[in-house]
Amino acid sequence: MNAIISASELADALRSERPPVLLDVRWQLSTAAAAGEPFDGRAAYASGHVPGAVFVDLDRELASAPGARGRHPLPDLDVFGAAMRRAGVSAGTPVVAYDGGIGWAAARAWWLLRWTGHPDVRVLDGGLPAWEGPLETEAPTPAEGDFVPEPAGSGVLDADGAAALARAGVLLDARAGERYRGEVEPIDPVGGHIPGAVSAPTSDNVDADGRFRPAAELRARFGRLGATPDAPVGVYCGSGVSAAHEVLALEIAGIPAALYVGSWSEWSSDSARPVAVGPDPQ
């Protein structure tokens, strides 16, 4: 099954006998607003969303509180499961997640649902800007779902696992190149990257409209970086959100990948962990 869905395909699916549950996961990195109030995803949802969509709070329902494990650690599974059931998610219902267009937050929801056992979840390619249908402002009250998250035994890396993969496989750094090189670091305490990691900015996964590049292009891109279906591949970013977008791009390309959820926000918080700077992985 394709991991993404186009706006026209979503419109058809919503008219079908088995419409998907819709998750609105609008979110922005807190530093995105240089001044004024931080982005309010719930307010954006209330101002207009795809009919039938339920708002999901990334910071509170798709992650637990920031701390030693990073800025967006794995959520408490009871909290995550309750949020999914509130949205109407059941084990047998298809799910589509979307966000404001960048795709990071929707990919986080996609990855969590897939990792915890949901078999049928996709991301709206291009997010809300790609949707050409009507919007509504009223919040729906779907019937309670029955989804119970059951984490897979693989697909997640901790700090030690990420370090080992950077030596024995391919560890992709999904952040912007200047953060990878250590030239700037607007959020975390130290700039640079995990030694051995390869720079692979998430922005290169999509075209100018924010839609994913074709599978063949993504496969070629990742192949040039050493990531192939036969290689063990992992991804990290700043806090495990944009890296989920990279895992999704790899999925489209047919390349399985694990996610280092703690990412650079966890790695850089421990001064004992090594840090590499510059364009060279080592």
Side-chain angles (χ1 to χ4, degrees):
M1 184 188 67
N2 199 341
I4 55 176
I5 185 172
S6 70
S8 60
E9 290 171 332
L10 176 59
D12 289 342
L14 291 173
R15 291 191 292 265
S16 72
E17 295 181 358
R18 191 168 171 257
V21 171
L22 289 179
L23 308 180
D24 184 309
V25 202
R26 270 178 278 183
W27 170 89
Q28 287 182 12
L29 201 61
S30 59
T31 57
E37 293 296 320
F39 177 79
D40 187 340
R42 193 175 296 276
Y45 167 83
S47 70
H49 51 267
V50 178
V54 175
F55 180 72
V56 176
D57 190 317
L58 185 147
D59 288 317
R60 293 175 175 82
E61 296 171 324
L62 305 184
S64 52
R69 293 183 298 132
R71 283 183 279 110
H72 288 104
L74 286 172
D76 178 285
L77 290 181
D78 289 339
V79 173
F80 172 63
M84 294 300 98
R85 291 188 293 274
R86 172 184 58 82
V89 175
S90 291
T93 57
V95 179
V96 172
Y98 72 86
D99 57 26
I102 196 169
W104 295 0
R108 172 76 174 216
W110 167 85
W111 179 83
L112 275 168
L113 280 165
R114 287 286 300 274
W115 178 64
T116 56
H118 199 288
D120 189 352
V121 53
R122 288 179 283 179
V123 167
L124 175 59
D125 196 16
L128 188 62
W131 176 252
E132 297 180 351
L135 299 178
E136 68 178 15
T137 57
E138 183 177 350
T141 53
E144 183 88 357
D146 64 15
F147 178 69
V148 177
E150 297 180 1
S154 60
V156 174
L157 297 169
D158 59 12
D160 290 340
L165 188 59
R167 295 189 299 270
V170 181
L171 182 64
L172 301 178
D173 185 318
R175 298 172 301 158
E178 57 270 24
R179 292 184 68 191
Y180 170 88
R181 295 187 295 270
E183 296 165 359
V184 297
E185 182 43 65
I187 309 169
D188 296 310
V190 179
H193 58 270
I194 296 172
V198 178
S199 180
T202 303
S203 57
D204 291 345
N205 295 332
V206 297
D207 61 20
D209 293 326
R211 292 177 173 86
F212 281 96
R213 298 186 185 280
E217 287 186 22
L218 290 171
R219 196 175 304 115
R221 181 211 176 194
F222 291 124
R224 290 190 294 270
L225 298 173
T228 66
D230 299 326
V233 179
V235 187
Y236 75 96
C237 59
S239 66
V241 177
S242 67
H245 187 276
E246 191 112 300
V247 173
L248 175 55
L250 286 155
E251 174 83 5
I252 295 168
I255 303 169
L259 177 66
Y260 173 24
V261 181
S263 284
W264 190 248
S265 59
E266 178 187 38
W267 184 276
S268 63
S269 68
D270 184 347
S271 60
R273 294 192 184 107
V275 171
V277 296
D280 189 277
Q282 302 301 331

